[in-house]
Amino acid sequence: MLGKLLKHELKDTARLFLPLNAIVLAVAAVWSVLIWIGLFDNSVLGPVGGILLLIYILSIMALFIITAAYLAFRFYKTMYANQGYLTHTLPVSSASVLNSKIIAALSWLLLAFIICFLSILILFLSIDGFPEAADFQRFEEQISTVFGIGVFPSVCLIAGIILGFCLNMTMMVFASLSIGQLFHQRRIPAAIGAGIVFYIIQQITSVVLLFILVFGMTDFMELSPETALIESAALYRGSFLLTIAAMFLFAAVYYIICFVITKKKLNLE
């Protein structure tokens, strides 16, 4: 049943998100082609490049803002507003309904990051051309210097950060909306207040973790450059892993809040 719910959720949201993502790629593709043919080398058409750059940046911002805002709106509308009556009368478990919303939202957020990366890659290739073997080697050396590990594990760390961020933000917004629906009046302000509290708690946690990491750096500040480089790489790896673990832990807490409220404290409009 989860598969059917997820398919329905993705189908309904695709009508907005697929064209939105396609627009970002189209803007990047058009701009890259114009750069590749040297159109902006002309002093007269040079300002047009700046305008297209602005359009590209605005399209990226719109992609993330609209995606996040619509996912939050849809979650509240279909779970706790008038449409919630239909949603919660379906012959499926509350967990399946909640999980379908989470997986769909996470999928669209990850797609937005992928589209953003692809659009930047398209522009990069149009400006500098396809990287040569020496460029890849320098990139691998830089990654190894920073993290002390190979390219693939480093990419996995970065992917883990992106996944953790998307999941954490999705669950924080959903948990805030779930708490807001407990109130008979002023539900949206209550949800915003809950979100602010969650954000403050996470920021305090981040500061504490940052303090621990900075305190740990003092242990190798006086070491030899080679040893300090190895220790710093280990610290970077540890900071990434700790950040990923913290985001997934917060996401798990938010999920429990959403599940308990949806299961036992439902208060539809």
Side-chain angles (χ1 to χ4, degrees):
M1 188 57 70
L2 175 61
K4 292 183 179 180
L5 289 173
L6 181 58
K7 180 180 179 181
H8 173 75
E9 190 72 19
L10 291 174
K11 183 178 180 181
D12 278 358
T13 51
R15 287 176 290 186
L16 172 64
F17 293 138
L18 286 183
L20 190 62
N21 284 273
I23 288 173
V24 174
L25 276 182
V27 171
V30 170
W31 193 32
S32 65
V33 169
L34 295 179
I35 292 175
W36 182 70
I37 63 177
L39 184 64
F40 302 134
D41 295 338
N42 188 306
S43 59
V44 177
L45 298 177
V48 179
I51 296 175
L52 285 178
L53 175 61
L54 178 61
I55 294 174
Y56 170 71
I57 294 174
L58 291 177
S59 67
I60 290 290
M61 294 175 60
L63 173 62
F64 284 100
I65 292 174
I66 295 175
T67 299
Y70 182 76
L71 289 172
F73 170 76
R74 180 177 175 82
F75 179 79
Y76 180 80
K77 182 181 70 172
T78 58
M79 291 290 286
Y80 303 128
N82 292 333
Q83 291 188 19
Y85 287 100
L86 176 61
T87 300
H88 295 291
T89 54
L90 295 173
V92 294
S93 64
S94 300
S96 295
V97 174
L98 179 61
N99 291 339
S100 67
K101 303 289 184 182
I102 295 170
I103 296 173
L106 185 60
S107 299
W108 290 120
L109 286 173
L110 290 175
L111 178 62
F113 272 98
I114 293 173
I115 292 299
C116 180
F117 171 77
L118 289 177
S119 65
I120 294 174
L121 181 61
I122 290 172
L123 294 176
F124 176 80
L125 293 178
S126 67
I127 295 173
D128 293 337
F130 193 82
E132 299 179 353
D135 297 324
F136 283 108
Q137 186 176 0
R138 284 194 296 268
F139 175 74
E140 292 179 359
E141 292 174 353
Q142 292 173 354
I143 289 292
S144 299
T145 301
V146 173
F147 294 104
I149 53 179
V151 174
F152 180 74
S154 300
V155 171
C156 289
L157 278 178
I158 296 173
I161 286 286
I162 295 175
L163 176 61
F165 173 78
C166 291
L167 181 60
N168 177 264
M169 293 303 297
T170 298
M171 295 312 307
M172 185 173 71
V173 171
F174 286 4
S176 301
L177 293 171
S178 298
I179 291 178
Q181 68 89 39
L182 295 175
F183 294 79
H184 295 286
Q185 296 179 344
R186 302 183 184 277
R187 291 185 166 193
I188 299 302
I192 295 174
I196 293 174
V197 172
F198 289 148
Y199 178 79
I200 292 174
I201 293 174
Q202 288 198 181
Q203 291 304 305
I204 293 175
T205 304
S206 299
V207 171
V208 172
L209 294 176
L210 180 62
F211 175 79
I212 294 174
L213 292 174
V214 172
F215 181 77
M217 289 179 64
T218 59
D219 294 337
F220 58 87
M221 290 296 290
E222 298 180 358
L223 298 176
S224 63
E226 294 80 8
T227 306
L229 186 62
I230 295 174
E231 293 293 333
S232 63
L235 180 62
Y236 285 132
R237 293 197 306 272
S239 64
F240 269 61
L241 291 173
L242 192 60
T243 301
I244 293 171
M247 288 191 294
F248 275 92
L249 179 61
F250 274 109
V253 173
Y254 297 145
Y255 179 85
I256 293 173
I257 292 173
C258 292
F259 179 78
V260 171
I261 292 177
T262 304
K263 184 73 174 180
K264 300 181 179 181
K265 302 291 184 179
L266 199 59
N267 182 27
L268 297 177
E269 291 182 350

